Every structure is written in structure tokens, then in C-alpha cells.
Amino acid sequence: MEINLFSDTVTKPTPDMLQFMFKAKVGDDVFKQDPTVNELEETLADLFGKEAALFFPSGTMANQVAIKINTQPGDELICDKWAHVFLYEGGGAAFNSGVSCHLLDGTRGMITAEQVAAAINDPENIHLAKTSLVCIENTTNKGGGACYDFEELVKIKEICQQNNLKYHLDGARLWNALVAKKQHPKAYGELFDTISVCLSKGLGAPVGSVLIGSKEAIKKAMRVRKLFGGGMRQSGYLAAAGMYALQHHISRLEEDHKKAKDIAQLLTRMPWTDNVEPVETNIVIFTVKAPITPTQLMQKLKEKNIYISDMGQGKLRFVTHLDYKQVMHDYVLEAIERITF
Ligand SMILES: *Cc1c(COP(=O)(O)O)cnc(C)c1O
């Protein structure tokens, strides 16, 4: 039995999800004739109280299209130094949109309204890039699944309004935040101009992200998605997986969060761990005590068929997910407890 806690992207469609996908009604989505894709887009737009939505092959593409439609070449966007849009999208903001990133030194991937306000360039000063967009990530990826306080997001929105900035949410793991904080998607819909959500992480669909926004924003996004090569044809089979996931795999995220908390609690008790970051959702980030190295610990786990990821700078990461069952969890806890150096 291989236990892959590398990421929540490793999940495979469940048999029920596959059955649901097989039965999907499909058409050519580039002509908006795929009923299942249309249904998924309408469902998500309604859920977030927005006018429209658009299905994408990846979260990266959804974010990159959002950056493109919310900026002009030469502009600057504001985000945390660990933001996925800056760090893990191949320099896409520069490549696709000609936009530079003004990085803020946030806490666990989260930035404050005060930091945002201080980072906005004076639009009258011709030496400076025009600030046009703020990108938020919730939950944070490199920040260890941390969730924003909603109040802070409201404050940042006020700064955006005062300064005529667009406000984008990279919600790849927003489902986890909604469940952990008992929040409603409509509250997010009211705040943000555009929101990307992922169907293939915690929710367990094989492929897909959705960008949600106003009719006008999504109309622009449809053009840019085509231009980026993301127009798909009978993608209803994939959208069906997303529909199934929305119906069956959201509330169970609590189980992933509980398992992550169990792992963190145990790690805290182990003599070979140094710092274990607080766990709010499904990600556990921790360091090991010198002279023990991350590689040594990963090797010991690998010998027990447990795989985790090395985040660099001495940080290691467990991510719990749909395919990480209770029997595996019991086995992992026991295995961790037995590790000695
Ligand atoms: C995974 C992730 C994405 C998108 O990833 P894809 O692999 O392109 O679907 C975007 N933002 C965050 C924070 C993520 O964790």
C-alpha cells in the first residue's frame, strides 16, 4: 500500500464519479454547446452569487486569464511573496500579461490591508508602474493551508475600491477555507471581481478549475482562454466530475482537516521535529531538528511507503485528501510514532 501525501492533486476519480462522468451529456463547448459544462458554470456562478463562470483545464490558466483581463501590459499587481500566481505559474504574469508583481512580506502567505495600501504606486507619478490588481490566495498553499480572517479581506476590498484596483481571489483551496471557517461562497462573491476555484484538489475531480465573475469579465475571459489554447470541445465529461464533486465531496473536507490536525499533533510530540506550523485545513508544514535532515526523514517515511513533499528551506509538507483513507491514517500515525534517529 503506497500512501501518497505529496499533494491533494494526487486523488483519482472514485468509481461513482467515473459512472457519473460516463453518463454526461456533451457538446462542443467552444461554441458553448456542452450542456454539462454550461450547467457547471451556472451552478458555480449561482453558488457565489455572480453572473457568470468559465471552465478551465487548470487553475494556473484560470489565474493567468484573470490577471490578463484585470490588467494592461506594464501594470503591477500586488500579492504575497509566496503567492502561487507569482511563484508557481512559470513567470506567467510577466509572460502572458506583461505585468510585474509587487511582492509583500505577509504572514503564512496572507497579506494585510495596511501592507496593500502602502504598496500602491501613486498613479500621478509617471516613473512608477500602474498598480491595477490585488491577488489574494485562500487558503494559502506555501503558507500551509492558512485561512484569512474575512474582516481583513473586507478591509483590502475597501483599499481596492478607494484606489480603483481589481481584486482577484486564487481560491484553488477555497473549499477548505469555507468548510474550516464555516463561511458562505456568496460572501466571497460579493467581495471579489474574479475568483478561481479548483475541482481537482480536495474535491477529487481529475481535471478542472472554474473562473467566476461578472458577465463582462467572463466574456473577456472566454476570448483569452481561447487565445491561451484552453478552449475545449466535449469537456462535459470533465465538467461532470466537477458537478459530482460539488455535490459529494465538499462537506467531507472536514475529515481531511481532522486527519491533518492528528498528524500535526503527533509530530509536535516527536523529539525529532522542530517547528510544526498551526493547522487550519489539510496541510501540515514542519521542520526537523538539526542535525537530522529533511531527506533523512523522507527516506524513513519512504521505507514505510509514505510519501511527503520537500518545500525547500528545510520545510516538509503532508497534505491530506480524499484518497487518504482512515486505515491509511491509522497506519501513518503508527509509523510516525515509531520513527527514531
Ligand atoms: C494548485 C494551485 C493552483 C493551480 O494549479 P494547477 O495545477 O494549475 O491546477 C493555483 N493556486 C494555488 C494556490 C494552488 O495551490
Side-chain angles (χ1 to χ4, degrees):
M1 177 169 67
E2 181 188 292
I3 301 177
N4 192 342
L5 297 169
F6 194 83
S7 173
D8 44 8
T9 53
V10 302
T11 56
K12 294 182 184 142
T14 62
D16 287 347
M17 181 184 273
L18 279 173
Q19 280 307 314
F20 196 79
M21 292 166 73
F22 272 130
K23 283 186 260 168
K25 291 198 175 70
V26 299
D28 188 336
D29 180 54
V30 171
F31 298 110
K32 291 316 291 167
Q33 287 168 359
D34 187 300
T36 311
V37 174
N38 291 342
E39 187 190 357
L40 175 72
E41 291 172 348
E42 277 163 32
T43 302
L44 279 165
D46 286 350
L47 188 63
F48 283 84
K50 288 272 205 223
E51 288 173 342
L54 192 65
F55 187 49
F56 281 84
S58 74
T60 297
M61 195 189 277
N63 282 335
Q64 288 301 318
V65 168
I67 292 170
K68 184 72 188 165
I69 65 169
N70 285 321
T71 59
Q72 291 296 321
D75 287 357
E76 194 166 88
L77 69 79
I78 294 174
C79 65
D80 181 80
K81 63 185 184 300
W82 286 347
H84 197 280
V85 293
F86 166 69
L87 206 53
Y88 297 132
E89 298 186 6
F95 189 92
N96 298 313
S97 302
V99 164
S100 50
C101 297
H102 188 132
L103 302 180
L104 299 182
D105 187 16
T107 307
R108 303 188 70 208
M110 298 181 293
I111 56 180
T112 65
E114 201 178 329
Q115 285 179 306
V116 171
I120 299 168
N121 290 334
D122 174 4
E124 299 302 318
N125 186 338
I126 60 160
H127 297 89
L128 305 176
K130 185 169 174 282
T131 310
S132 55
L133 172 66
V134 174
C135 291
I136 295 291
E137 194 171 302
N138 198 27
T139 71
T140 63
N141 178 335
K142 206 180 174 191
C147 306
Y148 271 87
D149 273 334
F150 198 76
E151 279 311 298
E152 199 60 41
L153 296 177
V154 173
K155 282 189 202 156
I156 299 174
K157 168 72 175 184
E158 284 160 10
I159 304 288
C160 289
Q161 277 175 326
Q162 287 158 16
N163 294 278
N164 219 2
L165 311 181
K166 289 288 197 319
Y167 199 23
H168 173 67
L169 173 62
D170 175 355
R173 294 193 180 85
L174 185 63
W175 309 112
N176 297 87
L178 293 172
V179 167
K181 295 275 207 180
K182 301 194 188 333
Q183 293 164 334
H184 198 278
K186 285 205 170 64
Y188 283 88
E190 267 175 36
L191 226 49
F192 289 91
D193 294 295
T194 48
I195 300 174
S196 64
V197 292
C198 183
L199 302 164
S200 69
K201 284 190 170 148
L203 296 195
V207 175
S209 281
V210 176
L211 185 69
I212 305 156
S214 66
K215 253 187 206 150
E216 193 193 345
I218 296 304
K219 191 174 171 209
K220 283 186 196 158
M222 201 134 73
R223 170 172 279 279
V224 180
R225 184 186 68 173
K226 187 76 175 97
L227 162 72
F228 283 8
M232 297 182 284
R233 304 296 179 175
Q234 286 70 31
S235 40
Y237 292 113
L238 303 174
M243 284 302 294
Y244 183 89
L246 290 174
Q247 284 157 19
H248 298 95
H249 292 167
I250 294 183
S251 60
R252 63 151 305 284
L253 289 171
E254 267 175 47
E255 293 171 35
D256 297 347
H257 300 173
K258 185 183 171 300
K259 289 187 183 114
K261 279 178 189 145
D262 290 344
I263 293 171
Q265 265 171 19
L266 179 59
L267 287 173
T268 310
R269 286 203 282 112
M270 302 314 292
W272 40 264
T273 56
D274 191 15
N275 177 49
V276 183
E277 288 183 18
V279 171
E280 284 184 272
T281 54
N282 67 328
I283 303 177
V284 185
I285 291 184
F286 68 104
T287 54
V288 287
K289 243 181 220 147
I292 301 161
T293 64
T295 318
Q296 279 175 313
L297 178 66
M298 284 174 78
Q299 182 56 35
K300 286 203 188 263
L301 288 167
K302 196 173 153 192
E303 283 159 16
K304 298 171 193 284
N305 270 322
I306 301 166
Y307 296 84
I308 65 169
S309 58
D310 185 344
M311 301 292 283
Q313 291 137 7
K315 291 182 180 177
L316 290 163
R317 185 181 83 166
F318 282 87
V319 187
T320 59
H321 52 73
L322 180 65
D323 288 358
Y324 177 56
K325 308 292 181 207
Q326 189 61 43
V327 276
M328 299 177 177
H329 186 51
D330 296 338
Y331 170 85
V332 165
L333 293 178
E334 203 178 311
I336 292 173
E337 201 151 19
R338 286 191 184 166
I339 288 177
T340 50
F341 287 90

